[in-house]
């Protein structure tokens, strides 16, 4: 599958584009393919996967437990759409763009706030965030959990930097981890709320594998996608110490204009609970 295109990422100090940030052109084939699928689906030529229309108000939420406000929503559709495939971006750490953290001992873990192994041993600071993804079988109408699958999840830190890649944290591997789904199809990661860096809506990357063995061998990815955060929660978190740059960056982007989520984000918008003081929980159903 494709999912390993490169998305333009801005330098978090001076907002200049890194040399290895190849630009939106690497995402366009993914986005164009999704739009073509929707066009064909409208002509009853192929089954619908992903979001059902460019207009977010009509996007299918059959496989989602969230709405634009981050609360539970429902759909009258009897079909279950698979999670939209997205680019893994230029900082996947899965071997597709340089370093491969998936083959390192210690990557299978639930708490991803600190680095592991021979890395520098740093810890990512920020508002506590617990992420729970529920992987389900789309072919079963989202009613059957995918037990024994695996999820690799990663995201930027409070400053907008990605471990293994960004200047100053190339020796770190925090905010990256793999887990096997339980009998409910769930994985839960303990982390921190990511920054909003220039040009992108706040998000988390994840890849789904058929098994833990596949994940730790960095092979046979079944789905690559991204989780988005509701605007009101982002604004609340970014008003706290350490996230000052995210305030300005968030004011310059929107879900509707984001290069990844602009063609529909209902299935990728997390349901949120919690507070700055107690920490937040983000939950998302991931049909594959």
């Amino acid at each position: 599958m494709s999912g390993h295109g490169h998305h333009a990422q801005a330098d978090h100090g001076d907002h200049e584009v890194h040399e290895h940030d190849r630009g939106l052109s690497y995402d366009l084939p993914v986005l164009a393919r999704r739009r073509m699928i929707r066009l064909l689906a409208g002509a009853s030529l192929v089954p619908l996967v992903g979001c059902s229309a460019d207009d977010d108000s009509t996007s299918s939420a059959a496989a989602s437990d969230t709405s634009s406000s981050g609360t539970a929503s429902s759909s009258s559709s009897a079909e279950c759409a698979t999670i939209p495939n997205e680019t893994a971006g230029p900082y996947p750490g899965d071997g597709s763009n340089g370093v491969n953290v998936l083959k390192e001992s210690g990557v299978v873990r639930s708490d991803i706030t600190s680095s592991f192994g021979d890395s520098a041993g740093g810890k990512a600071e920020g508002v506590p965030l617990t992420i729970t993804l529920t992987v389900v079988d789309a072919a079963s109408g989202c009613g059957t959990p995918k037990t024994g699958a695996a999820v690799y999840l990663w995201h930027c830190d409070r400053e907008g930097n990605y471990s293994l890649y960004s200047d100053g944290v190339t020796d770190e591997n925090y905010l990256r981890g793999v887990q096997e789904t339980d009998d409910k199809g769930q994985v839960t990661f303990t982390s921190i709320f990511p920054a909003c860096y220039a040009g992108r809506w706040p998000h988390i990357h994840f890849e789904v594998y058929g098994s833990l063995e596949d994940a730790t061998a960095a092979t046979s990815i079944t789905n690559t996608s991204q989780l988005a955060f509701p605007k009101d929660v982002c604004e609340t978190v970014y008003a706290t110490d350490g996230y000052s740059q995210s305030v300005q960056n968030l004011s310059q982007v929107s879900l509707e204009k984001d290069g990844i989520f602009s063609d529909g984000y209902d299935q990728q918008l997390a349901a949120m609970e919690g507070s700055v003081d107690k920490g937040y929980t983000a939950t998302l159903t991931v049909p594959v």
Side-chain angles (χ1 to χ4, degrees):
M1 58 165 279
S2 111
H4 286 288
H6 288 38
H7 192 280
Q9 306 261 357
D11 182 90
H12 311 303
D14 54 15
H15 306 308
E16 293 180 0
V17 177
H18 285 296
E19 181 180 354
H20 59 267
D21 297 346
R22 304 297 184 87
L24 183 59
S25 61
Y26 273 61
D27 283 346
L28 291 179
V30 177
L31 302 176
R33 184 161 54 255
R34 287 171 56 188
R35 292 189 177 104
M36 180 59 69
I37 288 172
R38 284 194 291 272
L39 289 174
L40 294 175
S44 299
L45 297 177
V46 297
L48 175 66
V49 292
C51 301
S52 62
D54 284 335
D55 183 353
D56 294 325
S57 63
T58 59
S59 294
S60 172
S64 175
D65 58 0
T66 60
S67 67
S68 60
S69 63
T71 55
S73 65
S74 61
S75 172
S76 58
S77 173
E79 297 183 6
C80 171
T82 58
I83 193 78
N85 282 330
E86 307 287 12
T87 173
Y91 311 125
D94 61 2
S96 63
N97 187 26
V99 64
N100 190 342
V101 74
L102 295 177
K103 295 184 177 182
E104 293 186 18
S105 176
V107 71
V108 180
R109 58 192 187 139
S110 60
D111 189 336
I112 62 174
T113 55
S114 300
S115 292
F116 64 90
D118 295 329
S119 290
K123 181 177 181 179
E125 301 295 336
V127 171
L129 175 68
T130 300
I131 309 140
T132 296
L133 304 182
T134 302
V135 184
V136 296
D137 179 27
S140 71
C142 290
T144 304
K146 295 284 286 187
T147 303
V151 175
Y152 167 44
L153 180 146
W154 73 98
H155 62 85
C156 70
D157 62 21
R158 186 171 61 180
E159 286 74 38
N161 296 318
Y162 282 86
S163 66
L164 302 176
Y165 292 90
S166 300
D167 290 344
V169 292
T170 55
D171 291 332
E172 304 289 354
N173 56 25
Y174 55 53
L175 306 182
R176 298 177 183 275
V178 175
Q179 280 201 72
E180 183 178 29
T181 58
D182 61 17
D183 58 0
K184 296 180 180 179
Q186 293 185 339
V187 292
T188 298
F189 294 91
T190 300
S191 191
I192 57 99
F193 204 94
C196 175
Y197 51 83
R200 279 305 316 277
W201 188 260
H203 62 283
I204 286 177
H205 295 268
F206 61 89
E207 294 171 343
V208 180
Y209 292 79
S211 68
L212 188 62
E213 182 179 4
D214 284 346
T216 52
T219 186
S220 302
I221 301 170
T222 63
N223 302 81
T224 302
S225 196
Q226 298 182 23
L227 172 153
F229 293 98
K231 182 178 181 180
D232 58 343
V233 176
C234 293
E235 290 177 333
T236 300
V237 171
Y238 296 157
T240 64
D241 292 341
Y243 288 96
S244 58
Q245 187 59 49
S246 292
V247 175
Q248 178 181 351
N249 292 336
L250 186 70
S251 70
Q252 298 173 345
V253 295
S254 69
L255 277 163
E256 290 74 19
K257 295 181 179 180
D258 181 74
I260 297 298
F261 301 123
S262 59
D263 62 345
Y265 52 82
D266 284 0
Q267 289 182 265
Q268 295 159 287
L269 193 65
M272 303 291 300
E273 293 184 354
S275 65
V276 168
D277 292 337
K278 297 181 179 179
Y280 285 92
T281 60
T283 59
L284 186 71
T285 297
V286 180
V288 299

